[in-house]
Amino acid sequence: MNDITMIQAKNVYYYYKAMSENAENVEAINGIDLEIKKGEFLVLLGRNGSGKSTLCRLFNALLKPRTGTVFVNGMDTLNDENTWLIRKDVGMVFQNPDNQIVGNVVEEDVAFGPENLGVPPEEIRKRVDRSLKTVGMSDFALYAPHRLSGGQKQKVAIAGILAMEPQCIILDEATSMLDPWGRKEVLDVLLDLNKNRGITVIHVTHHMEEACLADRVAVVDNGKIIAEGTPAEIFSDVERIKGMGLDVPQVTEVFYKLNKKGYKFPNDILTVDEALKVIMENLAVNRIGNRN
Ligand code: ADP
Ligand code: MG
């Protein structure tokens, strides 16, 4: 490990203890090795129950490995003395926007984290203003949270984490209850934090279009990582991805079907813009005049 590593999981196993004497322990993570670099945007995919949430909780010391180690910014999560610093470095946003807002007013809610960290009041004020500005919610500082849309609530949750000045944000299906507009709002914020502020992002999602925005995608299945690569590498093998119980981006699916009909398009086209380029090249022969 070195100073460019944000999170390093080595040979990690985790089981949930059985609820009763007769029941068996639930093996949730079954030998995971993963290194996440500072500034990376990683998407975790996997069917329900594959272990994604457990892995996220292991990444910010909400859970401790039963076997193996997780290091966050060089700190071993097994050492309880590190827990507080790790939680400060790695913030988590969860699925349900309504369960994570604690304040009666947006700015109160954003102040909650730094208050708990013992940050002085004048510094909290600055951080709250800065964080709300970063997520584009300054105008809502005095709103009651229940007046906000789902996407706006998730942006407030992200602001609350930013106010603790983390190096890494984990979003565990944080866009799954949002409508397309809310998802876009949140993704725009994430991309800004990642590209312009160097914050490491770990995003668990079922939306393949969101996965296409990542630097790297890892697929979790039965507590293991069964595939890992750039979005293009991951989605180019459509049959393999479907075999893992996952979808591919719609654009990729169209070209996959065309190729099955005998066309010879690249198999790693992920976005509308990439598709447009390839289609225009192929349609050039049909073009009339100088239309753009
Ligand atoms: P995912 O987030 O990919 O849906 P989870 O990490 O939530 O997967 O779950 C992985 C496995 O652990 C599943 O079999 C799930 O039923 C089990 N599990 C998750 N949370 C608990 C818990 N608190 N107690 C017992 N088993 C759990
Ligand atoms: Mg989950």
Side-chain angles (χ1 to χ4, degrees):
M1 191 162 50
N2 50 45
D3 60 2
I4 61 162
T5 304
M6 185 68 233
I7 295 176
Q8 186 190 50
K10 268 198 155 164
N11 195 30
V12 173
Y13 287 76
Y14 186 84
Y15 60 84
Y16 291 97
K17 289 221 168 82
M19 299 289 265
S20 68
E21 267 185 28
N22 305 329
E24 296 195 1
N25 292 337
V26 181
E27 311 282 351
I29 298 296
N30 298 308
I32 281 190
D33 287 283
L34 187 66
E35 189 166 325
I36 301 161
K37 292 197 171 53
K38 285 188 180 165
E40 192 173 10
F41 192 137
L42 176 78
V43 157
L44 291 178
L45 300 177
R47 46 185 134 207
N48 284 336
S50 57
K52 304 177 300 296
S53 294
T54 306
L55 193 58
C56 291
R57 291 189 198 113
L58 286 159
F59 285 164
N60 89 333
L62 283 170
L63 298 175
K64 313 288 177 85
R66 305 278 186 194
T67 314
T69 52
V70 174
F71 280 84
V72 175
N73 218 0
M75 296 176 283
D76 187 346
T77 62
L78 286 171
N79 182 346
D80 289 338
E81 284 176 13
N82 293 332
T83 303
W84 198 234
L85 282 173
I86 289 170
R87 301 257 174 88
K88 184 190 156 304
D89 275 355
V90 182
M92 266 184 87
V93 183
F94 298 94
Q95 182 170 20
N96 189 336
D98 292 320
N99 291 349
Q100 16 193 352
I101 295 197
V102 288
N104 294 321
V105 177
V106 164
E107 64 176 18
E108 241 174 54
D109 188 79
V110 176
F112 187 73
E115 269 163 14
N116 272 343
L117 291 174
V119 175
E122 62 279 15
E123 170 68 12
I124 292 180
R125 180 74 257 168
K126 280 189 209 152
R127 288 193 190 189
V128 168
D129 292 344
R130 204 159 53 214
S131 305
L132 283 173
K133 185 158 182 264
T134 302
V135 302
M137 290 293 288
S138 301
D139 292 348
F140 299 87
L142 298 176
Y143 271 52
H146 68 83
R147 291 175 61 200
L148 305 179
S149 70
Q152 289 172 328
K153 283 180 195 164
Q154 289 300 55
K155 290 201 289 187
V156 170
I158 293 172
I161 285 166
L162 289 178
M164 294 192 277
E165 305 198 328
Q167 299 193 19
C168 175
I169 298 187
I170 301 179
L171 299 106
D172 188 3
E173 298 199 29
T175 55
S176 65
M177 292 176 74
L178 306 181
D179 58 23
W181 175 252
R183 291 210 304 274
K184 183 177 177 335
E185 280 185 285
V186 171
L187 259 295
D188 284 348
V189 167
L190 292 183
L191 286 169
D192 173 49
L193 293 175
N194 179 253
K195 305 290 172 241
N196 302 327
R197 291 159 209 257
I199 291 183
T200 310
V201 174
I202 301 171
H203 181 43
V204 180
T205 182
H206 290 290
H207 292 280
M208 300 306 152
E209 280 71 20
E210 295 177 5
C212 292
L213 301 169
D215 298 318
R216 184 159 60 121
V217 175
V219 182
V220 183
D221 195 43
N222 196 20
K224 292 191 169 76
I225 293 188
I226 56 166
E228 198 187 325
T230 62
E233 284 164 356
I234 289 289
F235 292 123
S236 58
D237 194 342
V238 172
E239 275 158 36
R240 180 161 174 244
I241 282 291
K242 294 203 165 184
M244 295 170 186
L246 301 173
D247 276 332
V248 295
Q250 283 182 320
V251 169
T252 315
E253 173 108 27
V254 169
F255 286 96
Y256 166 72
K257 287 188 170 161
L258 284 169
N259 286 344
K260 279 192 85 158
K261 289 184 186 297
Y263 289 88
K264 297 251 177 313
F265 288 107
N267 60 0
D268 59 354
I269 300 171
L270 305 179
T271 66
V272 169
D273 285 342
E274 288 165 17
L276 193 61
K277 187 164 169 278
V278 169
I279 291 170
M280 281 168 62
E281 281 163 14
N282 280 271
L283 291 182
V285 68
N286 284 332
R287 204 155 140 217
I288 305 164
N290 255 345
R291 279 188 233 144
N292 286 316

